[in-house]
Amino acid sequence: MRTRFAIPKTAIAALILLAPLGACSTVREAVKGPDLAPVGYPAALAPIDQKILAVSTQPTANSLWRTGARTFFNDQRAQHVGDILTVLINIDDSAKTSNSTSSSRTSGVTAGIPHLLGLESSLGKILPGGFDPANALSTNSKTSNDGAGAVNRQEKISLTIAAVVSAVLANGNLVIQGTQEVRTNTEVRQLTVAGIVRPEDISSSNTILHTQIAEARINYGGRGDISRVQKTPAGQSLLEKFSPF
């Protein structure tokens, strides 16, 4: 028994109306350039609505309380969901590897049947002419392999980005993530960072190095006219990926 699902006409009409929007968005980006993403909040890991306890503090004469201060004795470093800290990214890595392999092999086998229960003379009648019992089997093989490879890579990135604490783990470690976008003409440079940090690694100036971020995910890229020209066409990329040759 087959079950058929009927698609409502309203749904089909909605799809027809929404289909040109993707094309319009692509054409608009090609003409005017990419748009910056809206300012967001890590809602996937933390709720947007944060509970804030309002405390009224009025400075008085000879008071140590500073106007605009958030707290007096508490640590000002990021420690709660929604707090902001600065990530210092200073990547200066280089790697150089060179490998070379060479192998060769030669083998040969010669076998004869001088005596086989007195039937060695009768084998000549069964086997093709020119059969020699002393040289019944002879094989030889030769293989060789040469390979060489080299890797020479150098990366250098020096950036600073503000990240938001999106979650606090059971052991007190902080999950952070941040995004930064800068548009120049028709090119958008995008930097994202995410990972897990220990509160004790955050400096007194509320900064942390990228080397102190566990499970660090740092992405530096962009989108726009220049990035589109430098990118390999999708058809060529698929052909190179699935080509068996």
Side-chain angles (χ1 to χ4, degrees):
M1 180 178 180
R2 296 183 178 178
T3 303
R4 297 183 178 179
F5 298 94
I7 301 176
K9 295 182 178 180
T10 55
I12 298 177
L15 292 176
I16 296 175
L17 292 175
L18 293 176
L21 296 180
C24 293
S25 176
T26 304
V27 173
R28 183 175 180 273
E29 180 176 340
V31 176
K32 297 185 61 178
D35 294 330
L36 297 178
V39 176
Y41 190 85
L45 299 178
I48 296 178
D49 297 331
Q50 299 291 331
K51 295 183 179 180
I52 301 176
L53 179 61
V55 180
S56 177
T57 55
Q58 297 295 334
T60 58
N62 300 326
S63 174
L64 296 179
W65 183 264
R66 178 170 51 88
T67 303
R70 299 175 60 185
T71 58
F72 188 74
F73 295 105
N74 291 346
D75 191 355
Q76 295 297 308
R77 293 178 293 183
Q79 54 184 327
H80 302 295
V81 174
D83 290 349
I84 298 177
L85 74 159
T86 303
V87 180
L88 306 178
I89 303 174
N90 189 12
I91 300 176
D92 191 359
D93 297 337
S94 61
K96 188 175 184 180
T97 304
S98 179
N99 296 320
S100 178
T101 60
S102 178
S103 63
S104 62
R105 179 179 180 179
T106 303
S107 62
V109 177
T110 302
I113 311 176
H115 303 284
L116 182 63
L117 302 176
L119 300 176
E120 60 275 4
S121 59
S122 301
L123 292 177
K125 300 177 182 180
I126 302 175
L127 298 176
F131 170 71
D132 184 7
N135 190 16
L137 179 66
S138 178
T139 63
N140 60 77
S141 64
K142 182 179 181 181
T143 60
S144 62
N145 178 46
D146 292 323
V151 175
N152 189 1
R153 187 190 68 188
Q154 187 172 1
E155 299 173 347
K156 187 172 183 179
I157 300 176
S158 181
L159 295 168
T160 302
I161 182 175
V164 180
V165 177
S166 56
V168 180
L169 302 181
N171 59 358
N173 290 341
L174 309 177
V175 180
I176 64 171
Q177 55 186 27
T179 302
Q180 183 184 92
E181 291 187 356
V182 178
R183 174 172 174 171
T184 304
N185 294 334
T186 58
E187 188 71 17
V188 173
R189 189 268 289 162
Q190 184 180 42
L191 171 64
T192 60
V193 62
I196 303 173
V197 301
R198 299 190 309 168
E200 52 267 31
D201 290 336
I202 303 176
S203 67
S204 58
S205 59
N206 199 34
T207 61
I208 191 169
L209 300 175
H210 78 278
T211 54
Q212 297 173 307
I213 302 177
E215 296 295 326
R217 301 293 184 267
I218 300 174
N219 180 29
Y220 181 81
R223 62 183 188 274
D225 294 343
I226 298 177
S227 300
R228 184 169 55 254
V229 172
Q230 292 179 337
K231 185 178 180 180
T232 304
Q236 180 181 347
S237 180
L238 290 174
L239 182 62
E240 294 177 353
K241 183 177 181 61
F242 296 103
S243 175
F245 306 103

